[in-house]
Amino acid sequence: MKYWLFILFTAGLQFALNGQSGWSRAEGGLYAQASYYGFSSDEYYSIDNTRFAEGATFSTRVLNLYAEYGFTDQFTLIANLPAVVINQFSTTNAVGSIGDFIVTAKYGINQDKRPISFSLGIEVPTGSKDLFASAKEPNSFGIIEEINLPTGDGELNFLATVAASQSFWGGKAYGSLFTTYNYRTQEYSGQWRLGAEVGAKPLPGVWLSVQWFSQLRGLEGNNENTSFFRAEGTTYNLISFGLSYNLTDQWSLLTKIHLPVENVIAPYQNVYVGPGLTAGIAYSLSGKNK
């Protein structure tokens, strides 16, 4: 088995399943979402952008829980928990655990005109940094090999975000821009995350959206652990196409298709690339002023 190759690489496709915006929740407002994310690929790009496509297929499945609550009209608390993360290669058994929990405080200004928000988040290493999967077949020496398929990177992350939004056509369309810097500890390199999103409501209860996301390398670290699960030096771009349908005033169904885009803003580095899918259900409760 060629696991000696994969040990050197880091894959973790880390991107926002929920887009950033300049809006804060109204006081008492609630938004909660449960979603499934699935991804599978045998196409890996190393930290120097070298393409490998002859190894085993890597796949991940995530059950994600997300919630926003407005404590005031300007202050929103956000929680994001990958409740179940299951990883495997096509040549190993699947292993799973909880992922890394993120809690974020968001402060919004200018909400009645051109909303702007400032967010500070902490990603807590609640995931398993050591989670070994066994090979399905023994190697040529008759040994069942193991490979580490962790569900977390084992270190604290501090995330600072600035986002701006604007609604159009009487609230039937919107646009958002955001930038995030992820300061990583334990001498890992930092990460810049850039995003843009536009959405429109062509029919009652139906929202369509397009989201762009790029991850670039920030301040360089000195950690020699470049396993692809540690996301050291990982850069990539994604474009996502979303659909949301309101079942009732509170409940909605949603789905997104995520497609990788090569060398537009960032090259593929230290990452598996391929299409991904998100599907979920959401509940929203208006606050006092909505």
Side-chain angles (χ1 to χ4, degrees), residues 2-10 44 54-57 89 147 226-228 272:
K2 299 180 180 178
Y3 288 150
W4 60 271
L5 271 177
F6 298 113
I7 294 277
L8 301 176
F9 305 152
T10 145
Y44 171 78
E54 298 179 356
T57 298
F89 279 104
I147 183 174
T226 56
S227 162
F228 71 86
Y272 275 90

Side-chain angles (χ1 to χ4, degrees), residues 20 162 164 176-180 193-197 211-214 265:
Q20 302 281 357
V162 178
S176 295
L177 296 170
F178 76 88
T179 181
T180 296
R193 298 172 181 177
L194 312 175
E197 182 174 353
Q211 183 185 55
W212 178 272
F213 179 86
S214 293
I265 296 178

Side-chain angles (χ1 to χ4, degrees), residues 24-33 66-73 75-77 246 248-252 281-290:
S24 59
R25 290 276 152 191
E27 183 178 352
L30 172 68
Y31 176 83
Q33 180 189 111
Y66 176 90
E68 300 181 1
Y69 182 77
F71 282 91
T72 71
D73 290 341
F75 177 68
T76 299
L77 188 66
N246 293 341
T248 68
D249 290 342
Q250 285 79 39
W251 292 94
S252 60
I281 187 168
Y283 175 82
S284 61
L285 184 65
S286 297
K288 293 183 178 180
N289 296 333
K290 294 185 178 181

Side-chain angles (χ1 to χ4, degrees), residues 19-70:
Q20 302 281 357
S21 77
W23 284 289
S24 59
R25 290 276 152 191
E27 183 178 352
L30 172 68
Y31 176 83
Q33 180 189 111
S35 63
Y36 165 85
Y37 169 71
F39 168 82
S40 181
S41 174
D42 65 353
E43 187 172 343
Y44 171 78
Y45 285 78
S46 70
I47 203 163
D48 63 358
N49 191 234
T50 301
R51 180 176 179 268
F52 296 84
E54 298 179 356
T57 298
F58 171 73
S59 64
T60 186
R61 290 159 284 170
V62 182
L63 173 62
N64 199 75
L65 304 177
Y66 176 90
E68 300 181 1
Y69 182 77

